[in-house]
Structure formats: structure tokens, C-alpha cells
Amino acid sequence: MSALRQIRRLGVDMVTAFQFLTRIPMPSIEFEADSLSRAVKFFPLVGLVVGSGVVSLQMVLTPHLNRSLVALILLLYLVFITGCFHEDGLADTADAFGGGWNRDQILLIMRDSRIGSYGGTALVLSLLARYLLLASLPLEHFAAYIISAHVLCRWSSLPLSYFLPPAREQDGQGARIAKLTSLPSLIFGSLCSFAVVGFALRRAAVTPLVVATLTVGLSGWLYSRKLGGVTGDCFGATNQLTEIAVYFCGAWNV
């Protein structure tokens, strides 16, 4: 493969990652069957861009508004920029695991477009937790923890998609990347993610990295045990949990 074609392919992968995870306008590209599985390595980059938007907004708003209002606006930005993509996954996963007694029931509930009591409760708690944590992060370390949280929560899809097979073979977003992420993509995405977090937090990076890894490992173990694999909703749920976990690390250090 020529160098020019490799560069073009990387550009397509990057655009695909942003198109899939955000509502940020991107140029039109030709769809390829393996586009998404190749794009996974750039998911942490998406987190870096989204997190940078949060930091920029916070810097503009903080001199004019109290911290509670700033946190609310930042949360609205996050919901808008991702189109509630991860929130939807969290709600569906909570409904499925809360109401399903076996694998078939869990997968069936996940496909139900309606939201139930478990999903509604999970969604409210997620929004409330992020609101309170955004308002509680120390200002001097705000940017570092925001960037770290959004890089690591997008990174969570790499180990899940590398190690776990799709819970549904026939369709679903999870089947487009589960067990299809290559080892080079996992290594590249992980090294870049850890380097960004290390640069942002210096010595304090150890705790968020450990907590994020534990969150991904425990949720992956649950998905494997209950479903024998992972779905698109599972990726969204772990993303949300990892974001909250890293925020909590920052608030704990106050």
C-alpha cells in the first residue's frame, strides 16, 4: 500500500470515528465494511476534542457564572455534541441487566426502544453525578481531569472490542467492532491515551488510569459472564461509567 493511500486511509478512519461518536460536521466519505473497526483507534482522539471543548467553554463561562450554572451548561454541551449516544447505551444496558433473568431476555430488552424504570434511574443518576462532579472538580486541575476523563472513556471501547466477541453476530453496532479491533489499534490507541493522561495529570495520573482500567475490566467481565460478549449498548454504558469514575478521582483529590 502506497504512503499516500495509507494517509488517506487514516484520514477516513479519523473522520469515521468523529461521525460515529459525535454530531460534529465531517466531510462525506465512502462507507467501507471495516471502517468502524479501523476507526476505533481514533476514539480517544475524539475524546480529546470533546474534552477540549468542555475546557474551552469552562474558561469562557467561569468568570461570569457560578459553578453550578457552568456545570449545567457543560453537561448540556456534552449531551448535545454526542447526541445522547452514550446515555442511550447506559439506559438500555441498565434496563436489560435490571430486568433480564437470562441472556436471551437481556438481549431482547436491550432491543426495546422504550425506556424502563432501571434505565430511567440510571440516566438520572448519571446526569446528576456528572453535574455534581463537574461542579466539584478543583479549578486548578479542571482541564486535566476533563481531558483525561474523555480520553479514557472513549479508550474503554478498545479493550472491550479487542477482547470480547459480539453478543449478537447478525447485526448491531457492537458486532461492527467487537473482536474486530486489531492488536496494533489497541496498542496505538492505548499508548496515545495513557500518554495524554500522563501529560495532563503527571503523578496524579496513576489513580485515574487504574480506576478506568478496573471499570473497563469489571464491566467487561459482567458482559462476558451474562452475555458471552458485548453489544453497542454495553460500549455506551462503560463509556459513561468510566467518565464518571475519572471525574470522581478528581473530586476526591480536592
PDB file of all heavy atoms in Angstrom, residues 199-226:
ATOM      1  N   PHE A 199       0.547  13.196  30.557  1.00  0.00           N
ATOM      2  CA  PHE A 199       0.976  14.577  30.345  1.00  0.00           C
ATOM      3  C   PHE A 199       0.069  15.543  31.097  1.00  0.00           C
ATOM      4  O   PHE A 199       0.530  16.529  31.684  1.00  0.00           O
ATOM      5  CB  PHE A 199       0.957  14.900  28.854  1.00  0.00           C
ATOM      6  CG  PHE A 199       1.336  16.313  28.529  1.00  0.00           C
ATOM      7  CD1 PHE A 199       2.671  16.713  28.517  1.00  0.00           C
ATOM      8  CD2 PHE A 199       0.356  17.262  28.247  1.00  0.00           C
ATOM      9  CE1 PHE A 199       3.019  18.027  28.223  1.00  0.00           C
ATOM     10  CE2 PHE A 199       0.694  18.576  27.965  1.00  0.00           C
ATOM     11  CZ  PHE A 199       2.034  18.955  27.949  1.00  0.00           C
ATOM     12  N   ALA A 200      -1.243  15.256  31.103  1.00  0.00           N
ATOM     13  CA  ALA A 200      -2.203  16.162  31.738  1.00  0.00           C
ATOM     14  C   ALA A 200      -2.116  16.137  33.259  1.00  0.00           C
ATOM     15  O   ALA A 200      -2.182  17.187  33.912  1.00  0.00           O
ATOM     16  CB  ALA A 200      -3.626  15.809  31.298  1.00  0.00           C
ATOM     17  N   LEU A 201      -1.953  14.948  33.819  1.00  0.00           N
ATOM     18  CA  LEU A 201      -2.046  14.801  35.274  1.00  0.00           C
ATOM     19  C   LEU A 201      -0.721  14.519  35.978  1.00  0.00           C
ATOM     20  O   LEU A 201      -0.672  14.494  37.209  1.00  0.00           O
ATOM     21  CB  LEU A 201      -3.043  13.675  35.612  1.00  0.00           C
ATOM     22  CG  LEU A 201      -4.517  13.974  35.310  1.00  0.00           C
ATOM     23  CD1 LEU A 201      -5.366  12.727  35.506  1.00  0.00           C
ATOM     24  CD2 LEU A 201      -5.022  15.095  36.207  1.00  0.00           C
ATOM     25  N   ARG A 202       0.323  14.263  35.206  1.00  0.00           N
ATOM     26  CA  ARG A 202       1.624  13.947  35.791  1.00  0.00           C
ATOM     27  C   ARG A 202       1.513  12.791  36.796  1.00  0.00           C
ATOM     28  O   ARG A 202       0.980  11.754  36.467  1.00  0.00           O
ATOM     29  CB  ARG A 202       2.232  15.200  36.451  1.00  0.00           C
ATOM     30  CG  ARG A 202       2.415  16.384  35.513  1.00  0.00           C
ATOM     31  CD  ARG A 202       3.457  16.104  34.436  1.00  0.00           C
ATOM     32  NE  ARG A 202       3.907  17.311  33.774  1.00  0.00           N
ATOM     33  CZ  ARG A 202       3.353  17.842  32.684  1.00  0.00           C
ATOM     34  NH1 ARG A 202       2.278  17.271  32.152  1.00  0.00           N
ATOM     35  NH2 ARG A 202       3.842  18.925  32.108  1.00  0.00           N
ATOM     36  N   ARG A 203       1.987  12.985  38.021  1.00  0.00           N
ATOM     37  CA  ARG A 203       1.982  11.894  39.002  1.00  0.00           C
ATOM     38  C   ARG A 203       0.569  11.469  39.402  1.00  0.00           C
ATOM     39  O   ARG A 203       0.339  10.325  39.790  1.00  0.00           O
ATOM     40  CB  ARG A 203       2.760  12.311  40.246  1.00  0.00           C
ATOM     41  CG  ARG A 203       4.247  12.514  40.007  1.00  0.00           C
ATOM     42  CD  ARG A 203       4.949  12.916  41.302  1.00  0.00           C
ATOM     43  NE  ARG A 203       6.366  13.143  41.091  1.00  0.00           N
ATOM     44  CZ  ARG A 203       7.209  13.530  42.054  1.00  0.00           C
ATOM     45  NH1 ARG A 203       6.737  13.731  43.288  1.00  0.00           N
ATOM     46  NH2 ARG A 203       8.495  13.716  41.786  1.00  0.00           N
ATOM     47  N   ALA A 204      -0.355  12.399  39.312  1.00  0.00           N
ATOM     48  CA  ALA A 204      -1.738  12.080  39.694  1.00  0.00           C
ATOM     49  C   ALA A 204      -2.439  11.189  38.671  1.00  0.00           C
ATOM     50  O   ALA A 204      -3.585  10.779  38.886  1.00  0.00           O
ATOM     51  CB  ALA A 204      -2.532  13.372  39.869  1.00  0.00           C
ATOM     52  N   ALA A 205      -1.768  10.867  37.563  1.00  0.00           N
ATOM     53  CA  ALA A 205      -2.395  10.064  36.503  1.00  0.00           C
ATOM     54  C   ALA A 205      -2.608   8.616  36.910  1.00  0.00           C
ATOM     55  O   ALA A 205      -3.468   7.930  36.351  1.00  0.00           O
ATOM     56  CB  ALA A 205      -1.539  10.125  35.235  1.00  0.00           C
ATOM     57  N   VAL A 206      -1.846   8.140  37.875  1.00  0.00           N
ATOM     58  CA  VAL A 206      -1.902   6.715  38.232  1.00  0.00           C
ATOM     59  C   VAL A 206      -3.306   6.301  38.667  1.00  0.00           C
ATOM     60  O   VAL A 206      -3.853   5.292  38.194  1.00  0.00           O
ATOM     61  CB  VAL A 206      -0.878   6.381  39.339  1.00  0.00           C
ATOM     62  CG1 VAL A 206      -1.044   4.935  39.792  1.00  0.00           C
ATOM     63  CG2 VAL A 206       0.546   6.620  38.834  1.00  0.00           C
ATOM     64  N   THR A 207      -3.904   7.066  39.552  1.00  0.00           N
ATOM     65  CA  THR A 207      -5.223   6.689  40.078  1.00  0.00           C
ATOM     66  C   THR A 207      -6.292   6.645  38.987  1.00  0.00           C
ATOM     67  O   THR A 207      -7.013   5.650  38.873  1.00  0.00           O
ATOM     68  CB  THR A 207      -5.651   7.641  41.210  1.00  0.00           C
ATOM     69  OG1 THR A 207      -4.676   7.575  42.260  1.00  0.00           O
ATOM     70  CG2 THR A 207      -7.006   7.236  41.762  1.00  0.00           C
ATOM     71  N   PRO A 208      -6.458   7.689  38.157  1.00  0.00           N
ATOM     72  CA  PRO A 208      -7.445   7.607  37.089  1.00  0.00           C
ATOM     73  C   PRO A 208      -7.196   6.455  36.112  1.00  0.00           C
ATOM     74  O   PRO A 208      -8.151   5.816  35.654  1.00  0.00           O
ATOM     75  CB  PRO A 208      -7.328   8.957  36.378  1.00  0.00           C
ATOM     76  CG  PRO A 208      -6.778   9.875  37.393  1.00  0.00           C
ATOM     77  CD  PRO A 208      -5.859   9.039  38.232  1.00  0.00           C
ATOM     78  N   LEU A 209      -5.937   6.191  35.805  1.00  0.00           N
ATOM     79  CA  LEU A 209      -5.626   5.091  34.896  1.00  0.00           C
ATOM     80  C   LEU A 209      -6.025   3.748  35.495  1.00  0.00           C
ATOM     81  O   LEU A 209      -6.609   2.888  34.816  1.00  0.00           O
ATOM     82  CB  LEU A 209      -4.133   5.089  34.550  1.00  0.00           C
ATOM     83  CG  LEU A 209      -3.667   6.202  33.606  1.00  0.00           C
ATOM     84  CD1 LEU A 209      -2.152   6.209  33.503  1.00  0.00           C
ATOM     85  CD2 LEU A 209      -4.293   6.045  32.228  1.00  0.00           C
ATOM     86  N   VAL A 210      -5.739   3.564  36.774  1.00  0.00           N
ATOM     87  CA  VAL A 210      -6.102   2.313  37.447  1.00  0.00           C
ATOM     88  C   VAL A 210      -7.625   2.180  37.551  1.00  0.00           C
ATOM     89  O   VAL A 210      -8.195   1.129  37.274  1.00  0.00           O
ATOM     90  CB  VAL A 210      -5.453   2.242  38.852  1.00  0.00           C
ATOM     91  CG1 VAL A 210      -6.020   1.061  39.639  1.00  0.00           C
ATOM     92  CG2 VAL A 210      -3.938   2.117  38.729  1.00  0.00           C
ATOM     93  N   VAL A 211      -8.272   3.279  37.945  1.00  0.00           N
ATOM     94  CA  VAL A 211      -9.732   3.253  38.103  1.00  0.00           C
ATOM     95  C   VAL A 211     -10.420   2.996  36.766  1.00  0.00           C
ATOM     96  O   VAL A 211     -11.372   2.210  36.684  1.00  0.00           O
ATOM     97  CB  VAL A 211     -10.221   4.580  38.731  1.00  0.00           C
ATOM     98  CG1 VAL A 211     -11.736   4.697  38.629  1.00  0.00           C
ATOM     99  CG2 VAL A 211      -9.785   4.668  40.177  1.00  0.00           C
ATOM    100  N   ALA A 212      -9.949   3.641  35.704  1.00  0.00           N
ATOM    101  CA  ALA A 212     -10.537   3.424  34.380  1.00  0.00           C
ATOM    102  C   ALA A 212     -10.335   1.986  33.923  1.00  0.00           C
ATOM    103  O   ALA A 212     -11.256   1.353  33.378  1.00  0.00           O
ATOM    104  CB  ALA A 212      -9.915   4.389  33.365  1.00  0.00           C
ATOM    105  N   THR A 213      -9.151   1.445  34.152  1.00  0.00           N
ATOM    106  CA  THR A 213      -8.873   0.056  33.763  1.00  0.00           C
ATOM    107  C   THR A 213      -9.753  -0.914  34.544  1.00  0.00           C
ATOM    108  O   THR A 213     -10.281  -1.884  33.981  1.00  0.00           O
ATOM    109  CB  THR A 213      -7.392  -0.274  33.997  1.00  0.00           C
ATOM    110  OG1 THR A 213      -6.578   0.642  33.246  1.00  0.00           O
ATOM    111  CG2 THR A 213      -7.074  -1.689  33.565  1.00  0.00           C
ATOM    112  N   LEU A 214      -9.931  -0.665  35.840  1.00  0.00           N
ATOM    113  CA  LEU A 214     -10.803  -1.515  36.650  1.00  0.00           C
ATOM    114  C   LEU A 214     -12.256  -1.424  36.188  1.00  0.00           C
ATOM    115  O   LEU A 214     -12.962  -2.441  36.130  1.00  0.00           O
ATOM    116  CB  LEU A 214     -10.707  -1.119  38.117  1.00  0.00           C
ATOM    117  CG  LEU A 214      -9.428  -1.516  38.859  1.00  0.00           C
ATOM    118  CD1 LEU A 214      -9.412  -0.928  40.260  1.00  0.00           C
ATOM    119  CD2 LEU A 214      -9.303  -3.047  38.924  1.00  0.00           C
ATOM    120  N   THR A 215     -12.703  -0.230  35.852  1.00  0.00           N
ATOM    121  CA  THR A 215     -14.075  -0.052  35.365  1.00  0.00           C
ATOM    122  C   THR A 215     -14.303  -0.841  34.090  1.00  0.00           C
ATOM    123  O   THR A 215     -15.317  -1.543  33.934  1.00  0.00           O
ATOM    124  CB  THR A 215     -14.370   1.440  35.112  1.00  0.00           C
ATOM    125  OG1 THR A 215     -14.140   2.179  36.315  1.00  0.00           O
ATOM    126  CG2 THR A 215     -15.801   1.641  34.656  1.00  0.00           C
ATOM    127  N   VAL A 216     -13.359  -0.755  33.167  1.00  0.00           N
ATOM    128  CA  VAL A 216     -13.467  -1.497  31.913  1.00  0.00           C
ATOM    129  C   VAL A 216     -13.379  -2.997  32.169  1.00  0.00           C
ATOM    130  O   VAL A 216     -14.156  -3.782  31.611  1.00  0.00           O
ATOM    131  CB  VAL A 216     -12.358  -1.063  30.936  1.00  0.00           C
ATOM    132  CG1 VAL A 216     -12.387  -1.918  29.676  1.00  0.00           C
ATOM    133  CG2 VAL A 216     -12.523   0.405  30.566  1.00  0.00           C
ATOM    134  N   GLY A 217     -12.447  -3.403  33.032  1.00  0.00           N
ATOM    135  CA  GLY A 217     -12.283  -4.824  33.312  1.00  0.00           C
ATOM    136  C   GLY A 217     -13.500  -5.448  33.975  1.00  0.00           C
ATOM    137  O   GLY A 217     -13.956  -6.529  33.586  1.00  0.00           O
ATOM    138  N   LEU A 218     -14.065  -4.767  34.966  1.00  0.00           N
ATOM    139  CA  LEU A 218     -15.232  -5.299  35.679  1.00  0.00           C
ATOM    140  C   LEU A 218     -16.473  -5.323  34.789  1.00  0.00           C
ATOM    141  O   LEU A 218     -17.243  -6.283  34.808  1.00  0.00           O
ATOM    142  CB  LEU A 218     -15.498  -4.468  36.938  1.00  0.00           C
ATOM    143  CG  LEU A 218     -14.479  -4.637  38.064  1.00  0.00           C
ATOM    144  CD1 LEU A 218     -14.734  -3.636  39.178  1.00  0.00           C
ATOM    145  CD2 LEU A 218     -14.511  -6.066  38.619  1.00  0.00           C
ATOM    146  N   SER A 219     -16.678  -4.261  34.021  1.00  0.00           N
ATOM    147  CA  SER A 219     -17.843  -4.253  33.132  1.00  0.00           C
ATOM    148  C   SER A 219     -17.674  -5.300  32.033  1.00  0.00           C
ATOM    149  O   SER A 219     -18.641  -5.984  31.667  1.00  0.00           O
ATOM    150  CB  SER A 219     -18.049  -2.860  32.522  1.00  0.00           C
ATOM    151  OG  SER A 219     -16.942  -2.465  31.747  1.00  0.00           O
ATOM    152  N   GLY A 220     -16.457  -5.453  31.519  1.00  0.00           N
ATOM    153  CA  GLY A 220     -16.210  -6.485  30.511  1.00  0.00           C
ATOM    154  C   GLY A 220     -16.441  -7.879  31.066  1.00  0.00           C
ATOM    155  O   GLY A 220     -16.994  -8.757  30.373  1.00  0.00           O
ATOM    156  N   TRP A 221     -16.041  -8.094  32.306  1.00  0.00           N
ATOM    157  CA  TRP A 221     -16.284  -9.394  32.950  1.00  0.00           C
ATOM    158  C   TRP A 221     -17.777  -9.662  33.063  1.00  0.00           C
ATOM    159  O   TRP A 221     -18.243 -10.772  32.808  1.00  0.00           O
ATOM    160  CB  TRP A 221     -15.637  -9.398  34.330  1.00  0.00           C
ATOM    161  CG  TRP A 221     -16.026 -10.595  35.167  1.00  0.00           C
ATOM    162  CD1 TRP A 221     -15.490 -11.854  35.103  1.00  0.00           C
ATOM    163  CD2 TRP A 221     -17.048 -10.631  36.179  1.00  0.00           C
ATOM    164  NE1 TRP A 221     -16.116 -12.678  36.006  1.00  0.00           N
ATOM    165  CE2 TRP A 221     -17.069 -11.961  36.685  1.00  0.00           C
ATOM    166  CE3 TRP A 221     -17.923  -9.696  36.698  1.00  0.00           C
ATOM    167  CZ2 TRP A 221     -17.951 -12.357  37.679  1.00  0.00           C
ATOM    168  CZ3 TRP A 221     -18.797 -10.081  37.695  1.00  0.00           C
ATOM    169  CH2 TRP A 221     -18.811 -11.400  38.184  1.00  0.00           C
ATOM    170  N   LEU A 222     -18.553  -8.639  33.439  1.00  0.00           N
ATOM    171  CA  LEU A 222     -20.004  -8.789  33.554  1.00  0.00           C
ATOM    172  C   LEU A 222     -20.639  -9.107  32.204  1.00  0.00           C
ATOM    173  O   LEU A 222     -21.478 -10.006  32.100  1.00  0.00           O
ATOM    174  CB  LEU A 222     -20.614  -7.508  34.125  1.00  0.00           C
ATOM    175  CG  LEU A 222     -22.137  -7.495  34.269  1.00  0.00           C
ATOM    176  CD1 LEU A 222     -22.595  -8.542  35.284  1.00  0.00           C
ATOM    177  CD2 LEU A 222     -22.631  -6.110  34.677  1.00  0.00           C
ATOM    178  N   TYR A 223     -20.222  -8.393  31.157  1.00  0.00           N
ATOM    179  CA  TYR A 223     -20.779  -8.644  29.834  1.00  0.00           C
ATOM    180  C   TYR A 223     -20.447 -10.059  29.353  1.00  0.00           C
ATOM    181  O   TYR A 223     -21.285 -10.751  28.773  1.00  0.00           O
ATOM    182  CB  TYR A 223     -20.242  -7.633  28.819  1.00  0.00           C
ATOM    183  CG  TYR A 223     -20.468  -6.195  29.189  1.00  0.00           C
ATOM    184  CD1 TYR A 223     -19.541  -5.208  28.826  1.00  0.00           C
ATOM    185  CD2 TYR A 223     -21.595  -5.786  29.900  1.00  0.00           C
ATOM    186  CE1 TYR A 223     -19.739  -3.877  29.158  1.00  0.00           C
ATOM    187  CE2 TYR A 223     -21.794  -4.460  30.244  1.00  0.00           C
ATOM    188  CZ  TYR A 223     -20.862  -3.510  29.875  1.00  0.00           C
ATOM    189  OH  TYR A 223     -21.051  -2.195  30.213  1.00  0.00           O
ATOM    190  N   SER A 224     -19.220 -10.469  29.597  1.00  0.00           N
ATOM    191  CA  SER A 224     -18.812 -11.803  29.188  1.00  0.00           C
ATOM    192  C   SER A 224     -19.586 -12.878  29.929  1.00  0.00           C
ATOM    193  O   SER A 224     -20.023 -13.873  29.347  1.00  0.00           O
ATOM    194  CB  SER A 224     -17.303 -11.969  29.425  1.00  0.00           C
ATOM    195  OG  SER A 224     -16.880 -13.257  29.057  1.00  0.00           O
ATOM    196  N   ARG A 225     -19.775 -12.668  31.226  1.00  0.00           N
ATOM    197  CA  ARG A 225     -20.461 -13.658  32.054  1.00  0.00           C
ATOM    198  C   ARG A 225     -21.946 -13.745  31.723  1.00  0.00           C
ATOM    199  O   ARG A 225     -22.513 -14.845  31.648  1.00  0.00           O
ATOM    200  CB  ARG A 225     -20.268 -13.293  33.531  1.00  0.00           C
ATOM    201  CG  ARG A 225     -20.925 -14.252  34.509  1.00  0.00           C
ATOM    202  CD  ARG A 225     -20.504 -13.939  35.933  1.00  0.00           C
ATOM    203  NE  ARG A 225     -21.187 -14.781  36.891  1.00  0.00           N
ATOM    204  CZ  ARG A 225     -22.324 -14.468  37.508  1.00  0.00           C
ATOM    205  NH1 ARG A 225     -22.903 -13.301  37.241  1.00  0.00           N
ATOM    206  NH2 ARG A 225     -22.883 -15.279  38.374  1.00  0.00           N
ATOM    207  N   LYS A 226     -22.589 -12.599  31.519  1.00  0.00           N
ATOM    208  CA  LYS A 226     -24.031 -12.583  31.305  1.00  0.00           C
ATOM    209  C   LYS A 226     -24.433 -12.774  29.844  1.00  0.00           C
ATOM    210  O   LYS A 226     -25.478 -13.353  29.544  1.00  0.00           O
ATOM    211  CB  LYS A 226     -24.621 -11.257  31.808  1.00  0.00           C
ATOM    212  CG  LYS A 226     -24.544 -11.063  33.317  1.00  0.00           C
ATOM    213  CD  LYS A 226     -25.528 -11.970  34.028  1.00  0.00           C
ATOM    214  CE  LYS A 226     -25.587 -11.649  35.508  1.00  0.00           C
ATOM    215  NZ  LYS A 226     -26.561 -12.506  36.233  1.00  0.00           N
TER     216      LYS A 226
END
